[in-house]
Amino acid sequence: MTARPAWGKSRSSLGPPGRLRPSWHLSLVIPELGPGGAERVLVRLAQHWAGCGFRLSVITLAPKGRSFYQLPLAAHWVGLGVAGPTCSLGEKVGANFRRLKFLRQVFDRLRPDVIISFLAETNVLSVLANLGRRTPVIVTEHSNPRVLPTVGIWRLARRIVYPLATKVVSVSPGVDSYFGFLPRAKRRVIPNGVPVEEIDHTAPCPDGFPWPHAIISMGRLEGEKGFDLLLQAVGPLFTRYQDWGLVILGEGTGRQRLCQLAENLGMADRMLLPGPEDPPYPRLKRADIFALPSRHEGFGIAVVEAMACGLPVVASACRPGPGEIITAGVDGLLVPPGDVPALRKAVEQLIVDEELRRNLAAEAVRSAKRFDLPRVLTAWDQLLAEVLAQSTQEA
């Protein structure tokens, strides 16, 4: 039996958090609005709070453009145009001073009641840009903090700056455990949510795949997701199971490398890279198996979405990540991170055992309801009300 997560406590057990008023102004800060998991969380929160009547501003370091996910019309998008790569140390320092300056200016102009920031570097910048102001800042961590950010100066900055934030929200207990240097009262675990009811009423996409059966995966085409490991695992299987193929939804810098690896493994005609899809549920429901061999994760929202879609899942047992979501042998299969033979064995087990696929899928649907979106949004509302109540008392 999976333990009930702390974020799922009832409102009464948490005590009265205060009242949310439609007049509150919330600013949400993120590097850009591409097809990533943190971006999806931001947009879902924005849609929810827009429906509550709050004033919303979405601030991106990148310039204003097209959002992959649909922002609510009520959200005012401010694109600062200060994102982008830098080379020398001087350029990096100068770029971050400009980001701080622009963030400070927009905070002064918008005067939000709460600032909510996403992803480590942006979190650090948002807290620093708010210094000397009374506005509470909630920072959110969506990746494994032991791995990301990769640049040491940002890790040090996070350790110095996060104590100045009002709250640090982590998407899983494994992520939260990294922040033991912060007081317990400053930390909160709120996972990513999936719209279970919407998924239940979603039909599989009418167009199938080029093969009778498909293994599907989803995420950024980057090394951390381990798609190269997945190709190495399933390539030899496709010589024995001719009616199976692989589909990976997503985009990233690793696309060309994956295509080349598929060529080298002789499976180029057994793999599709159609790009990201929103929502991905019709495509997921058309597949037979979901696999995600991530080298590291913060949560693993793709795993929960696949489970909610009724797919048997095989994933790496990384913690934080799928190792915290899946109960091995009950609602999915777990393999050691980076272990290609173990991944191949687990995928083949699902290919040959249709009854196992059905049993895991049925339990996965029930398990995914722990992360139902309304429940997660309620946890966010509670946190927001607590922060606003404290801010009002201190004013």
Side-chain angles (χ1 to χ4, degrees), residues 208-217 238 243-248 270 272 283-291 311-312 347 351 357:
F209 302 115
W211 328 278
H213 301 285
I215 302 160
I216 196 166
S217 193
F238 288 161
D243 54 349
W244 285 78
L246 174 66
V247 180
I248 303 175
R270 308 291 286 279
L272 289 179
R283 190 72 61 186
L284 288 172
K285 285 194 169 186
R286 179 59 66 182
D288 299 271
I289 297 169
F290 183 86
L311 282 174
V347 171
I351 287 176
R357 296 205 305 267

Side-chain angles (χ1 to χ4, degrees), residues 172-236:
S172 70
V175 171
D176 176 71
S177 66
Y178 177 83
F179 299 104
F181 60 89
L182 296 172
R184 180 68 261 178
K186 191 178 284 284
R187 293 150 49 199
R188 188 67 56 89
V189 175
I190 304 179
N192 296 333
V194 297
V196 171
E197 185 176 356
E198 175 188 337
I199 292 173
D200 286 344
H201 291 88
T202 297
C205 61
D207 54 319
F209 302 115
W211 328 278
H213 301 285
I215 302 160
I216 196 166
S217 193
M218 181 168 62
R220 296 184 311 278
L221 305 185
E222 307 292 347
E224 68 193 65
K225 296 297 181 181
F227 294 133
D228 57 322
L229 305 175
L230 183 57
L231 266 64
Q232 294 172 54
V234 302

